[in-house]
Amino acid sequence: MSQVTWIKGGRVIDPKIERDEISDIFISNGKIIDRPSRETLAKADTIDATGLVASPGLVDLHVHFRVPGETHKETIFSGTSSAATGGFTSVVCMPNTSPPADTAGTIQYIKDAVGRESIVHVFPTACITVGSEGERLAPTGSLRDAGAVAISDGGKCLQNSGLMRRAVEYANMFNMPVIDHCEDYSLSANGVMNEGLVSTKLGLRGNPAEAEDIMVSRDVILSAKTGAHIHIQHVSSRNAIDIIRRAKSRGVNISAEATPHHMCFSELEVSDFNTNFKMNPPLRSEEDRLAILEGLEDGTIDCIASGHAPHTDYEKDVEFDYAPNGVIGLETALGATLNQLYHSKRLDLPRTLSLLTYQPAQILNLNKGTLEIGADADVTLFDPECEWTPQSNSFQSKSSNSPWINRTLKGKVIQTFVSGKLVFDKGKILSS
Amino acid sequence: MPWFRKDLISTEELSPEEIQTVFKTTAAFKKILGRKTAKTPPLRGKTVVNLFFENSTRTRVAFEMAATKLSADVMSLDMKTSSTSKGETLRDTVENIHALAADMIVIRHSAPGSAAYISKVLDIPVLNAGDGAHEHPTQALLDCFTLHEKFGSLKGLKIAILGDILYSRVARSNLWAMTKLGAEVTLVGPATLVPREFEQFGVTVSHDLKSALADKDAVMLLRIQHERQNASAFPSINEYTRMFGLNKTRLSWLKENAVIMHPGPINRGVEIDSELADSPQSVILGQVTNGLATRMACLYLCSGGKAETLTG
Ligand SMILES: [Zn+2]
Ligand SMILES: [Zn+2]
C-alpha cells in the first residue's frame, strides 16, 4: 500500500451517511480508505484534527470564474484558490463568460484551463441559448458530450416561455438539469435594488420581488408539465420560496439554492449606497431574508451556493447605478452559513453541512460531498468557533467585492484536501 | 446652533436646529442682497466648481450667482461632453478637479448617492445640487424658507405635494425637511407615481385630489416629465391634466389664502393652469429669489462661516 494520510481525532461529519463522531479519516491514492493495518499506520502522515471538524469537501453549484474573457476579475487559478480557502473542493462554474460557453469548443477551452490551473474540481455548465441571448437553443447534447454538467443562461433569464419549455424538454432527454436565474425583465425593468422601503427613500430604481416570483412560478409549471429538473438559483423572496414549497409537496422536480448574502443581509444594507451590496436578485426585505432561513430549515431550499461573482475594485468604485451586480462569496460562505444556521441554533452542524456538501452534489448528480469509503478524498478541516474579520486585502480571489469586509464571521477553514492532496493549509495555497 | 457639516448632501440628515441655522443665515443674506452693492467677501480667494452631469440651467445659474455674490471664483463644468463619455470614472473626474485647486464642489448627477460618494472621496465641501431621484436639499431648504417667511413657522402647516413623487428628488428632500419642522405632508398623484411605501416616512399618501387638497395651507406642484422614465406611469399628459392638473376649481378646495409653489420649470397648462402660475397666490418667483439667498447660506456654512457673525 502506498503512503497513507491519517487525519486524527477530529469531529468527522458526513451528513450523507449520518456519520458524526470523534474519529479518524484515512486517505490513500486520493481516495478515502478504511482503517489500514497497524504497520501502514506507523508510516502514515498524520494530521492532528483535534478540536476541528472534518467534513466532506464543500460543493458550490454557482460560481463565476470569468474564464474565458475576463481574467482581470478572476482566473481558474485564483478562483479555485478562493474555493480551496473557503473549504470548497468542487465548484460548478456558470457559462456567462466572454464569449459565452455555448459551443463545445468553449467548454473544451474551459476544461483545458481547468486542467492546467485548477486546484479543486471544476464542473462547467453551458448556455441554454446561443450567446445566452434567449433566441435559439444552444447544442445541448454536444455541450453535454464536451463535459457540461447542466445548462443555464447564467445571469440572464430566458424570457420566452415557449422556448424555455423546449429547452427543458430537450435537456431532460440527456438528463441535463436546467439552472435558472429567475427574473421577468418587464417587471425588474432597470431596477438596481429591491423595490421597497429603501429604494423609495433613496430614489434608486426598484426591482420588485414579483419579477422573481413570476419566473419561479413559470419554471414550476414547466417542470410539472415536462417532468424536467429545473434548479432555481439564489432564491431571494418569500413568495418564491412559498411557490417552491408547494411545488415540492406536489412532487414537482424542482430544486433551489440560497446564497449566504441573501441569508445574512437585507435591503437596509444598501442605505449608504455601498456597491458591495449590489447584486441580482437584490437583497430584499427582512421578511424575505427570514423566509430564506425558514426555507433552509424545512428543506424547501436544497442547498447553499456562494454565487461567487468577482468584479474589480475600479468596476465597483462608481456610482451605485453604474456598478456591476454581484459579490464574491467562496471564502466567506462557510462562516456566514455557520453564523446564520448553526451558531444561531436553527440547525445542527450535520444538517448545516448537508446544505454545503451532498445536497448540492446530488442536485447535479456529482459524485461528491461524502467521506464514504472509496470516495474521492475531498476533505475540509475547519474550526467552527474561530472568529475572523475579512478585510479587503484578505482574499485569495483576484477581486475583493465582498459584503463581509469588516464584519465578523465565526468559522474558519484550516485545511483543504482535494483528491487526497493538501491544497490549502492554514492560510496558504500550496499547489500551483 | 452652529454648523459642523463639511457637506450638504441631504435634508434627511439635517436636524431641525440645523435647518433653522440655514434659515437664519438665509435671512441675513437676503438682507444683504437688498443692498446697493450686494457682494460680500466670505469666499474671496476660493474657487467653487459646479459640476453638472445633467442639464439644469436654473440650478446651475443659482449656484453660480450665489458663489459670485460671496466673492468666490466660479467655474461651471458641463460634464455631458467630457469624462464619463471618455470612460473616466466619477472618482477620477473629481480627483482631477480637486487637484486643480477647487475649494468647494457643487454636483448635479443623475445617479442617486453620487453626491454622498464624492463627499467621501474628497476632503473639500461637497454640495448636492440633485442626485437622481434621491435628494435636492437646497431646493427643499429654499421651499421651506419661503413657507417659513410667509407663515412664520412650518409647525402645524398642512402641505400637499402633487405630481411625480416617485422620481422626484424635490419631493424627497421636502418631505424630510417639512416633517422635521412640524408640517403635515400629503403626497398626492397617480398611484403609479405615489407608492404607498412613502407612508412609512410619516406622510399621508393619497390618490384623491379633492380630499388631498382640502384644508391645505400650501400645494407644491412637481414637474411632470412624461417623456422620461415614467413614460408608462399614466396614459397621457392630457389624462394627467384632467385628473391631477391644478385649475381654478381645484384651487378652491385649498384654504382660502393657500400658496402655490413649484420648483420650476413649469409646464404651463399641464400641472397647472397658466393663469394660476401668475396669480397672487403663487410664490413661484419668490422661491427663485429665496433660492439665491439659500444657496449663499449653504455655501457659506459649509465653507466654515458662522451664522452669528453675519450682519444683515
Ligand atoms: Zn443570477
Ligand atoms: Zn450568478
Side-chain angles (χ1 to χ4, degrees), chain B residues 259-270:
Chain B
V259 299
I260 302 169
M261 308 179 82
H262 195 306
I266 307 172
N267 291 310
R268 286 179 186 264
V270 177

Side-chain angles (χ1 to χ4, degrees), chain A residues 62-64 66 94 96 154-156 181 233-234 257 280-281 306-309 326:
Chain A
H62 183 170
V63 305
H64 299 272
R66 310 304 187 197
M94 288 298 120
N96 57 331
K156 288 197 186 169
H181 164 116
Q233 290 185 304
H234 43 48
E257 70 188 31
N280 188 15
S306 73
H308 186 80

